[in-house]
Amino acid sequence: MFYFTHLLKLSYMNSKLLGLLLLTFIASCTNKKEYVAGKFIETGYMDSSTKPGDNFFEFVNGKWLDTAQIAPTESGTGAGLEVYNITKNRLHNILDSLSKGSFSSGSIEQEVGDFYASGMDSSTIDKLGYEPIKPVLAQIDSLKSTNDVMQFVAQQAKKENNLIVGFYVAPDDKNSAMNIAVFYQTGLGLPDRDYYFKTDAETQKVIDAYKTYMQKLFMLTGDDSSKAAIETAAVYELEKQLAASHKTNVELRDPQGNYHKMHVADLDKQIPVIGWKTLFANLDFKVDSLNISQPAYYTKLNDLLKNVSLDTWKTYLRCHTLENYSGALSNDFEKAAFDYNKTLSGQQAMKPRWERIYRATDNNLGFALGQVYIKKYFSDDAKKRMNELVSNLQKAFEVRINKLDWMSDSTKQTAVAKLHAFTKKIGYPDKWREYHVTIDKNKYYDNLVSCSEDDYNYNLKKLGKPVDRTEWGMSPPTVDAYYNPTFNEIVFPAGILQFPFFDANADDAINYGGIGMVIGHEMTHGFDDEGSQYDKDGNLKNWWSHSDSIEFVARTKNIVNQFNAYTMLDTLHINGALTTGENSADLGGINLAYDAFKLTKEGQDTTKIDGFTPDQRFFISYAQIWRSKQKPESIRTRINEDPHSPAMYRVNGPLSNFEPFYKAFNVQPGDKMYKPDSARVKIW
């Protein structure tokens, strides 16, 4: 994805993390000003005392960075991401209207409006406390054996309360035309496995906050502080043992290393305590083979199910069930969750309730809500213009591939074939997903469960069936974009097709520096360190010559080394290996967007606007969309977890490798961003 990561299995394995990152993204947005046609450069935010060749990000955004204030409800602020608030406020108006209307039962208007209304009824929700999940907690208390534990885990998985088993349906990486069952590592409460083993003071703050959160959950359901502390310690220790088996975020980036197709008979022999055939029956399916993405996790889980006491497992299940449903319970549960998350994000006050429920509505009924949004706010003209831009970027990419001096002709031909095989999805789906849910405007918890069960069944029906390549992985109002390697597709929801990324009134320099770079970024994901391992049909299959592959890995290593050297908060280094794909896509994106821009009339002109040449405006537009200021807590979390580099380096990093930028701003030896040509990273 443009803001997070391209759509690999991380979207399933790290769902809690992605939710956190999405909240961080949302928090970095500010309200949009009205822009006057032709005035798309924020000259008042530029810092002329900073040389463009020393720090271009600060040259474009420096005065804004000096004065921007982060509101208590935010973990950051940033004009480059303000488009989210436009969409958010539009959807707020839509949802308010639908929630007060009267619509036929089962219509998308009724489902969306009543779901939102039920979530906004905080008085009823607070009166209920944790009453809605008492039957679930009673069920946990009644468990008598490991078999009972696994049966309960399966029942909850069908409500998308994934406890110790992570399961989804997706295209088989090595047979992308067919859907397969995939099991992945899960079971942790902290953002990822490394938190359990780091000893620095900042990590310890997060651990302490997490333990406090668990204690609060236990106490809110009747335990005294002493008992809650003992229970918390037991859960944390069990999680730490599970964490030891987890792959790191960097290891999860290796598609081959996370593909382990196995026969069920072999699983039952190697990992018997889980009881795979019974588990599948409880999950309502039967298969002969499946992909166990991270086998070490399930081997460890097998051992822990055998050796950890039943009481400890029941305590663990109770804790994580409370955590999963905290957003559906009374305010004291939501507050406990927020207090933990603010340690990760730096956000000091909760978002208003309408925004929290809007996000829940989009998460659960996004394609129903999206239909209403599209009718009101997205034009066919925008879709037509985007198709033109995408086509121009494809042309530019083909030219660039054919000019590469390090790639053989045979590999070039295969790369171009993959480029032209891209499926392009713009704005909204041609075929809308249907929901089979029961929505009652007086029962928020029940509505969430109904949506979760429907989502599980929707995905389960795909198991063992041909892949439907018309499906979308994001709802239309989403402010993001993505590349999906098994579909070999690039997707641009309507939400991102707004200023500062795209504006019909803006000149080409602004649009190509904004949405053009986004398009190029997603295209490059098809050829980054992960995407390059998939062929034009979306299969995990080598299509490189041996010598080309060696050269590609070496060039990619150069970008890893470049970003490893960058620091935030004085000494916190960016993880170049974790951010490799996004850094490669940013570098490719700026190359492709610029090449396509040069094909336009303005790109071949020298007429100045706002005192800047077309080339200068192109680069300024690029830096403007990344105007961002974040809380230190948010920066630390994102350095640990986010496959994207911080905003400043998403600008300065790629541009330090790009000759046209040097020419546009007369970057010379001695400038801090200057690198001799031989040291510049060049991949695509």
Side-chain angles (χ1 to χ4, degrees), residues 502-575:
F502 173 77
D503 193 299
N505 295 317
D507 55 289
D508 281 333
I510 298 300
N511 279 332
Y512 277 88
I515 198 65
M517 188 273 169
V518 177
I519 296 167
H521 174 103
E522 300 307 337
M523 286 184 174
T524 306
H525 269 316
F527 302 91
D528 69 11
D529 62 314
E530 290 182 85
S532 62
Q533 298 183 54
Y534 292 80
D535 67 12
K536 68 180 181 65
D537 298 316
N539 291 308
L540 187 57
K541 178 182 178 182
N542 180 46
W543 50 271
W544 296 72
S545 73
H546 181 67
S547 59
D548 288 338
S549 180
I550 291 173
E551 180 64 25
F552 176 72
V553 170
R555 288 172 179 263
T556 301
K557 181 64 175 176
N558 289 336
I559 208 165
V560 174
N561 293 336
Q562 176 185 350
F563 279 81
N564 276 338
Y566 293 142
T567 58
M568 297 293 293
L569 305 178
D570 297 328
T571 61
L572 189 62
H573 279 264
I574 293 174
N575 186 335

Side-chain angles (χ1 to χ4, degrees), residues 3-4 19-30 73-77 81 84-85 88 347 351 355 358-359:
Y3 202 83
F4 304 114
L20 170 64
L21 294 178
L22 180 59
L23 291 173
T24 304
F25 162 64
I26 291 168
S28 65
C29 302
T30 56
T73 55
E74 316 295 340
S75 63
T77 186
L81 302 176
Y84 165 79
N85 274 351
K88 175 188 74 177
Q347 183 181 335
K351 297 278 189 183
E355 186 171 352
Y358 142 61
R359 290 304 316 168

Side-chain angles (χ1 to χ4, degrees), residues 77 82 116 209 222 659 683:
T77 186
E82 62 193 3
Y116 180 76
E659 177 65 22
I683 305 176

Side-chain angles (χ1 to χ4, degrees), residues 212-501:
T212 298
Y213 174 38
M214 287 194 287
Q215 283 187 248
K216 286 182 180 177
L217 291 176
F218 286 125
M219 292 172 68
L220 286 170
T221 52
D223 294 343
D224 61 36
S225 59
S226 177
K227 183 179 180 182
I230 294 171
E231 291 171 320
T232 294
V235 173
Y236 184 81
E237 178 56 32
L238 181 52
E239 286 182 16
K240 190 171 183 178
Q241 293 183 70
L242 288 170
S245 70
H246 272 229
K247 289 192 173 186
T248 67
N249 284 330
V250 172
E251 291 170 332
L252 291 173
R253 288 183 46 75
D254 175 11
Q256 290 283 1
N258 291 282
Y259 184 86
H260 304 277
K261 194 169 182 178
M262 301 179 68
H263 289 289
V264 175
D266 293 333
L267 273 176
D268 268 331
K269 291 176 183 176
Q270 297 173 24
I271 313 174
V273 179
I274 290 174
W276 292 94
K277 291 180 181 178
T278 302
L279 174 63
F280 298 160
N282 289 329
L283 289 170
D284 295 335
F285 68 82
K286 181 179 180 181
V287 295
D288 295 323
S289 62
L290 65 156
N291 179 18
I292 302 291
S293 297
Q294 296 82 36
Y297 168 77
Y298 286 94
T299 299
K300 185 66 173 181
L301 176 61
N302 187 82
D303 293 341
L304 293 174
L305 285 168
K306 183 168 53 177
N307 296 317
V308 171
S309 72
L310 179 62
D311 284 344
T312 298
W313 276 116
K314 289 163 68 171
T315 301
Y316 171 93
L317 296 175
R318 181 177 164 215
C319 177
H320 285 287
T321 296
L322 289 167
E323 179 188 0
N324 183 68
Y325 290 114
S326 61
L329 306 178
S330 55
N331 182 67
D332 42 7
F333 285 89
E334 280 197 292
K335 178 65 165 53
F338 172 76
D339 287 343
Y340 162 52
N341 283 321
K342 74 180 182 182
T343 308
L344 293 164
S345 68
Q347 183 181 335
Q348 294 304 302
M350 292 177 75
K351 297 278 189 183
R353 185 163 188 87
W354 73 262
E355 186 171 352
R356 306 199 308 270
I357 303 304
Y358 142 61
R359 290 304 316 168
T361 307
D362 188 47
N363 287 339
N364 286 278
L365 296 169
F367 291 98
L369 178 60
Q371 290 185 64
V372 183
Y373 176 84
I374 289 298
K375 289 177 184 177
K376 193 169 184 178
Y377 291 112
F378 189 70
S379 71
D380 288 337
D381 288 343
K383 192 166 187 174
K384 180 180 178 181
R385 176 63 175 141
M386 270 296 292
N387 271 310
E388 293 173 357
L389 285 163
V390 172
S391 295
N392 288 344
L393 267 289
Q394 274 185 302
K395 293 174 185 175
F397 204 170
E398 181 175 2
V399 171
R400 184 166 283 273
I401 289 171
N402 285 325
K403 287 183 177 179
L404 291 174
D405 59 5
W406 59 268
M407 181 179 282
S408 67
D409 288 343
S410 60
T411 304
K412 286 180 182 178
Q413 290 175 6
T414 310
V416 169
K418 178 174 181 177
L419 173 66
H420 286 298
F422 280 160
T423 298
K424 294 169 278 190
K425 297 179 178 177
I426 297 169
Y428 56 91
D430 294 327
K431 180 175 69 176
W432 292 98
R433 173 181 168 178
E434 296 181 359
Y435 296 93
H436 302 281
V437 293
T438 301
I439 303 297
D440 186 326
K441 70 188 321 177
N442 299 308
K443 297 180 179 180
Y444 183 51
Y445 172 86
D446 290 351
N447 293 340
L448 286 168
V449 171
S450 180
C451 288
S452 294
E453 290 175 339
D454 179 61
D455 200 51
Y456 179 84
N457 290 328
Y458 173 80
N459 286 293
L460 189 64
K461 287 177 183 177
K462 296 184 289 186
L463 183 58
K465 304 287 180 60
V467 171
D468 179 2
R469 293 181 182 268
T470 68
E471 276 194 308
W472 279 52
M474 287 180 177
S475 67
T478 304
V479 183
D480 210 331
Y482 68 88
Y483 170 75
N484 181 351
T486 53
F487 280 43
N488 193 29
E489 65 178 357
I490 48 176
V491 186
F492 307 96
I496 200 171
L497 304 181
Q498 304 172 69
F499 190 83
F501 298 104

